[in-house]
């Protein structure tokens, strides 16, 4: 199953809106075939792995095991159900990493296979297999885009000095890991302050691979980045047509003429009744655009607004072994003011990684009662 996971990861960021899936067929501890799902609309991993076994005898297949990271599909979509070819192959045993998250299909393939006499084992490396498809799983469960807050902090929870300097809090391995995660997400978002201070490109740059440009979203409520639009990579590079400016309120159309001529799009949203940014409306627009996951990289104001709204689904926190020791340095988030530790925002299903001298802690956001007070 570990090998099947490594195969699935070969399609990292390529399969949206489908999940990444890897499959391995084994007989007497020998790998007979292996495959992974490369992209939406192409054959699934199980089908590819089984199709390459035409030269194997029926008896060999009866004594073989198919390892697959995700419960096989049991309904007809762009491709036929994988349960059909598994049954037709004569394979004797199937080992499944994690169940299909769709309640309509969850466990259905297992029942079909068992009813036809196939030995089925479920839950091998379950957490790792589920973690592989965070964006897909969230979309299937919630039918809303997966909003992920990403930050790099010091040990005392600061994301920049009092002057706004943040390059670089974390080390090279953390920066390389961010590039890997950027490759997974259909969209990356930053606030106007980040554009003005860092002039980012917001692409994924991984050695020996072509640069990947997701949809790049700039939250610019007051259109500060348009005052000097010709300076910023996001509005002027060869991927400008993949940039979106998100703003609030009504602005004269001529203010957008320069960037729209470059292909940059504008998404205007009215503020909600409490004068807050309408994150639900933003999610809806992303869904309309088939953007099922957004990695929101900051800065401080944007992350505080997202976390304070209770709309962050997940947090990725890189932490460096340094201390600013300055009350005026920029915090990741302020204003929650819990009275007890039990009222704090918490992460669940937490995963940890060591990246050189840094740490990555990531997990699902668990709402706090204090957020109700903040959002009013």
């Amino acid at each position: 199953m570990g090998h099947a996971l490594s195969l699935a990861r070969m399609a990292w960021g390529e399969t949206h809106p489908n999940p990444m899936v890897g499959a391995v067929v084994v007989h007497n501890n020998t790998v007979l075939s292996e495959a992974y799902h490369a992209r939406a609309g192409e054959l699934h991993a199980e089908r590819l792995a089984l199709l390459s076994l035409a030269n194997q005898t029926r008896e060999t297949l009866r004594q073989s095991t198919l390892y697959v990271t995700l419960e096989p599909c049991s309904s007809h979509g762009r491709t036929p159900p994988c349960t059909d070819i598994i049954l037709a192959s004569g394979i004797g045993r199937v080992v499944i990493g994690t169940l299909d998250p769709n309640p309509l299909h969850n466990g259905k393939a297992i029942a079909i296979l068992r009813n036809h006499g196939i030995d089925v084992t479920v839950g091998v490396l379950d957490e790792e297999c589920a973690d592989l498809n965070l964006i897909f799983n969230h979309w299937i469960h919630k039918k809303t885009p997966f909003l992920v807050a990403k930050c790099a902090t010091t040990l005392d929870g600061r994301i920049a000095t009092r002057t706004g300097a943040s390059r670089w809090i974390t080390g090279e391995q953390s920066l390389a890991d961010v590039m890997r995660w950027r490759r997974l997400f259909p969209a990356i978002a930053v606030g106007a302050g980040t554009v003005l201070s860092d002039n980012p490109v917001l692409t994924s740059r991984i050695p020996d691979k072509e640069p990947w440009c997701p949809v790049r979203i700039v939250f610019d409520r007051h259109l500060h980045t348009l005052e000097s639009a010709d300076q910023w990579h996001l509005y002027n590079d060869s991927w400008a047509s993949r940039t979106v400016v998100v703003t609030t309120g009504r602005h004269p159309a001529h203010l957008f003429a320069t960037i729209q001529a470059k292909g940059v799009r504008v998404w205007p949203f009215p503020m909600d009744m409490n004068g807050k940014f309408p994150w639900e409306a933003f999610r809806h627009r992303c869904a309309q655009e088939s953007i099922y996951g957004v990695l929101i990289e900051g800065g401080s104001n944007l992350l505080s607004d997202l976390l304070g709204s209770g709309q962050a689904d997940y947090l990725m926190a890189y932490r460096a072994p340094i201390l600013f020791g300055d009350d005026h340095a920029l915090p990741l988030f302020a204003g929650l003011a819990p009275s007890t530790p039990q009222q704090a925002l918490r992460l669940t299903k937490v995963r940890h990684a060591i990246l050189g001298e840094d740490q990555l802690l990531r997990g699902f956001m668990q709402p706090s009662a204090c957020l109700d007070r903040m959002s009013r």
Side-chain angles (χ1 to χ4, degrees):
M1 189 62 73
H3 183 51
L5 275 167
S6 67
L7 290 169
R9 292 190 187 101
M10 294 178 70
W12 186 260
E14 297 280 356
T15 62
H16 299 301
N18 286 4
M20 291 172 279
V21 181
V24 182
V25 178
V26 177
H27 178 260
N28 288 341
N29 295 320
T30 298
V31 173
L32 299 182
S33 68
E34 59 186 44
Y36 63 93
H37 180 51
R39 58 187 54 84
E42 297 190 8
L43 293 181
H44 292 184
E46 307 96 303
R47 186 169 290 273
L48 284 168
L50 293 171
L51 284 173
S52 65
L53 296 175
N55 61 336
Q56 300 294 332
T57 68
R58 194 78 175 178
E59 181 63 19
T60 296
L61 291 171
R62 189 182 66 79
Q63 297 175 4
S64 299
T65 300
L66 167 67
Y67 293 85
V68 60
T69 56
L70 181 65
E71 180 181 2
C73 63
S74 54
S75 60
H76 202 294
R78 285 199 253 185
T79 58
C82 288
T83 49
D84 287 359
I85 193 170
I86 294 172
L87 295 175
S89 72
I91 203 88
R93 181 173 181 240
V94 176
V95 177
I96 296 169
T98 193
L99 292 173
D100 187 328
N102 190 333
L104 297 176
H105 302 150
N106 186 282
K108 186 175 179 181
I110 295 166
I112 291 172
L113 298 177
R114 284 176 174 164
N115 287 340
H116 284 80
I118 294 178
D119 179 14
V120 180
T121 300
V122 184
V124 176
L125 297 183
D126 185 6
E127 292 183 2
E128 289 81 355
C129 291
D131 184 66
L132 179 67
N133 290 301
L134 292 171
I135 298 172
F136 171 79
N137 294 343
H138 181 88
W139 175 256
I140 291 297
H141 278 299
K142 302 290 183 67
K143 294 302 180 186
T144 64
F146 191 48
L147 301 188
V148 177
K150 188 231 90 179
C151 64
T153 71
T154 62
L155 290 177
D156 47 347
R158 306 291 167 160
I159 65 172
T161 67
R162 65 171 62 197
T163 65
S166 61
R167 289 191 172 186
W168 296 107
I169 287 175
T170 51
E172 291 185 3
Q173 289 190 36
S174 291
L175 297 175
D177 193 59
V178 170
M179 291 295 168
R180 185 178 71 88
W181 282 102
R182 279 186 179 181
R183 183 63 187 82
L184 179 66
F185 280 81
I188 312 293
V190 295
T194 298
V195 175
L196 296 174
S197 62
D198 295 344
N199 194 13
V201 180
L202 299 186
T203 57
S204 172
R205 301 176 296 281
I206 299 174
D208 301 323
K209 290 190 176 182
E210 289 293 321
W212 156 253
C213 184
V215 174
R216 304 176 299 182
I217 299 173
V218 179
F219 284 83
D220 190 356
R221 183 175 303 182
H222 303 294
L223 303 184
H224 291 317
T225 62
L226 301 196
E227 296 170 7
S228 49
D230 288 341
Q231 295 184 27
W232 316 124
H233 295 306
L234 297 173
Y235 301 156
N236 297 281
D237 62 17
S238 58
W239 293 297
S241 62
R242 296 188 63 76
T243 301
V244 174
V245 174
V246 170
T247 189
T248 55
R250 297 180 179 276
H251 302 286
H254 74 268
L255 293 179
F256 304 113
T258 299
I259 59 169
Q260 287 177 326
K262 302 171 185 291
V264 175
R265 291 175 289 162
V266 178
W267 292 356
F269 294 97
M271 301 293 272
D272 67 19
M273 295 178 62
N274 298 315
K276 304 287 187 179
F277 180 78
W279 286 101
E280 289 287 357
F282 173 74
R283 283 186 193 267
H284 182 68
R285 181 61 185 269
C286 287
Q288 288 181 320
E289 301 280 340
S290 298
I291 297 171
Y292 301 135
V294 184
L295 183 62
I296 300 171
E297 296 197 358
S300 178
N301 290 337
L302 180 59
L303 289 175
S304 288
D305 193 272
L306 175 64
L307 294 171
S309 71
Q311 291 292 324
D313 299 308
Y314 200 81
L315 177 68
M316 299 180 63
Y318 294 85
R319 187 168 65 170
I322 60 174
L323 291 160
F324 283 168
D326 182 355
D327 288 343
H328 296 288
L330 296 179
L332 165 62
F333 178 41
L336 189 64
S339 301
T340 66
Q342 289 69 35
Q343 294 178 334
L345 275 174
R346 258 173 217 285
L347 302 186
T348 62
K349 297 184 180 178
V350 175
R351 301 183 72 84
H352 303 268
I354 301 299
L355 301 163
E357 295 185 338
D358 302 332
Q359 297 175 332
L360 169 61
L361 183 152
R362 59 184 177 91
F364 293 89
M365 300 295 300
Q366 185 176 25
S368 161
C370 294
L371 289 178
D372 292 336
R373 181 180 64 246
M374 286 193 70
S375 62
R376 288 196 295 268

